[in-house]
Amino acid sequence: MPPKFLGGDERWLDSEDRSPRPKHSRKAAPRRGFILRPEEGNAVVAEVFPNQSAVRRDGAGERLLCDYRMASLAVGGAARERSPVCVGDRVRVQAGTITGRCERRNQLVRSAPNSRDPLLHVIAANIDCLVVVAAAREPEFSVGIIDRFLVAASAQGIPALLCVNKTDLLGPGDERPWELYPAAGVPVLETSARSGAGAAELRSRLRGQTAAFCGHSGVGKTSLLRRLLGDEACGRVAELSAASGKGRHTTSGAVLLPGPKESNWIDTPGIMNFALVGVGRAGLLAHFKELASAAALCGPGCAHEAEPACVLRRLPRYHSYRQILGSLG
């Protein structure tokens, strides 16, 4: 049985392998930070554990549990990654060991929580579509976390889709605050994991793609994937906490699930906080397309802050933009 995380996705952290090594080894030590070309890989990471990963070998359906050494795979730089591989990584596997990681096309990354040192949590890599899952009800629709995911996707050049789940909880005449997103260039699809509404369209849109499902805790990512795949192995679905109205974590780490027509769909843990990486204050506006377009209508020198004539202040996502801007150093 593979090892499990201690305390969910927020608390575990791989440490470098400090096991004794033979004094007279004939094999040269792997060069730290060695990145392979994609064609040099022979497997894809399906799940990550401390010092081990489950992979899917090319041309084989079964999962293989492999060891890895933190010291030989970690890439040097200003910020360390809390694991040298992530779900979606293309890797090279030899004799049950991951010996190399391939260059990534893109990555969904945030600053690792509860860390004093610069440490990155790469949630998934090599993504064709980021499916940002929100709930129409229970928990209430939250623009803040959605926009952070959308900014992260835009910064990495990842196409995004907003999937509003639990629409079966809506009543006649209820507001739909997500209707502003198509004007911002973000396609929206309403679904219900319970009734199956919208599942066929979502399945069709994502067929043949590597898609990562992300979102706030309790929005129903795993339930939705289970509806799409008809696979009970997608994970256990927990009830919402009656005390807080927030979701409990049901997926301890990202998991790659095989979908139809060579699709790879990634279930990620429910995330409460998403600290952006690689996005500065000066570049944030470009990731709010409708705001960036409207900025041309403002007068010269407008900082888009307290100016009464600022056009952006009248747009729906302006408040969300200002909140994210204030969180950036």
Side-chain angles (χ1 to χ4, degrees):
M1 178 178 293
K4 297 296 182 183
F5 303 128
L6 298 177
D9 83 307
E10 305 290 352
R11 295 178 57 188
W12 72 271
L13 174 65
D14 289 347
S15 58
E16 293 192 4
D17 186 347
R18 301 183 183 276
S19 57
R21 291 171 173 76
K23 294 183 179 181
H24 304 289
S25 175
R26 295 183 180 180
K27 294 183 179 180
R31 181 160 56 91
R32 185 178 179 85
F34 181 56
I35 300 296
L36 305 174
R37 296 185 300 274
E39 61 270 20
E40 295 181 272
N42 61 3
V44 175
V45 174
E47 197 167 1
V48 179
F49 310 105
N51 300 316
Q52 286 186 312
S53 289
V55 305
R56 293 191 182 277
R57 292 287 297 264
D58 292 354
E62 70 277 3
R63 286 168 35 127
L64 174 67
L65 190 62
C66 297
D67 296 326
Y68 65 78
R69 292 186 182 277
M70 187 82 171
S72 63
L73 291 178
V75 180
R80 296 181 299 117
E81 295 180 17
R82 70 180 197 174
S83 172
V85 294
C86 72
V87 172
D89 264 337
R90 187 152 181 80
V91 294
R92 183 170 62 195
V93 173
Q94 295 175 313
T97 300
I98 296 176
T99 59
R101 193 194 84 192
C102 298
E103 181 181 2
R104 293 168 178 161
R105 290 189 290 117
N106 54 50
Q107 58 186 14
L108 179 63
V109 59
R110 64 169 177 164
S111 295
N114 305 320
S115 175
R116 296 180 180 179
D117 299 324
L119 192 64
L120 301 182
H121 175 201
V122 184
I123 299 168
N126 302 318
I127 303 166
D128 297 319
C129 180
L130 184 67
V131 182
V132 183
V133 184
R137 294 281 186 276
E138 299 180 13
E140 292 298 311
F141 188 81
S142 173
V143 171
I145 189 70
I146 292 169
D147 284 343
R148 285 180 173 273
F149 278 120
L150 293 176
V151 169
S154 176
Q156 289 285 319
I158 305 172
L161 166 68
L162 176 57
C163 176
V164 182
N165 193 30
K166 301 188 181 182
T167 52
D168 54 287
L169 300 179
L170 291 174
D174 282 352
E175 293 185 357
R176 285 174 156 79
W178 49 89
E179 291 182 340
L180 63 92
Y181 281 96
V186 181
V188 176
L189 180 62
E190 295 184 358
T191 63
S192 169
R194 178 175 296 177
S195 70
E201 183 178 351
L202 182 59
R203 187 184 298 110
S204 176
R205 288 195 187 197
L206 301 180
R207 185 173 286 113
Q209 298 189 55
T210 296
F213 287 66
C214 64
H216 199 284
S217 299
V219 296
K221 297 180 302 298
T222 301
S223 297
L224 190 59
L225 277 163
R226 208 162 73 174
R227 165 68 70 170
L228 292 171
L229 298 172
D231 185 359
E232 291 298 324
C234 285
R236 177 179 58 84
V237 178
E239 295 294 330
L240 282 171
S241 168
S244 67
K246 298 179 180 179
R248 298 185 182 125
H249 292 285
T250 60
T251 304
S252 58
V255 182
L256 183 144
L257 304 165
K261 302 292 183 181
E262 300 182 356
S263 306
N264 284 311
W265 296 343
I266 301 171
D267 189 10
T268 70
I271 290 177
M272 307 295 288
N273 300 296
F274 193 91
L276 293 168
V277 173
V279 178
R281 291 175 59 88
L284 178 63
L285 186 62
H287 302 298
F288 287 77
K289 293 182 179 180
E290 79 282 20
L291 300 186
S293 297
L297 302 176
C298 292
C302 181
H304 315 303
E305 294 180 355
E307 298 90 340
C310 179
V311 177
L312 273 61
R313 297 180 65 184
R314 299 191 294 271
L315 298 180
R317 288 207 298 165
Y318 174 74
H319 181 65
S320 178
Y321 161 72
R322 292 293 305 172
Q323 283 192 319
I324 295 176
L325 186 68
S327 72
L328 300 177

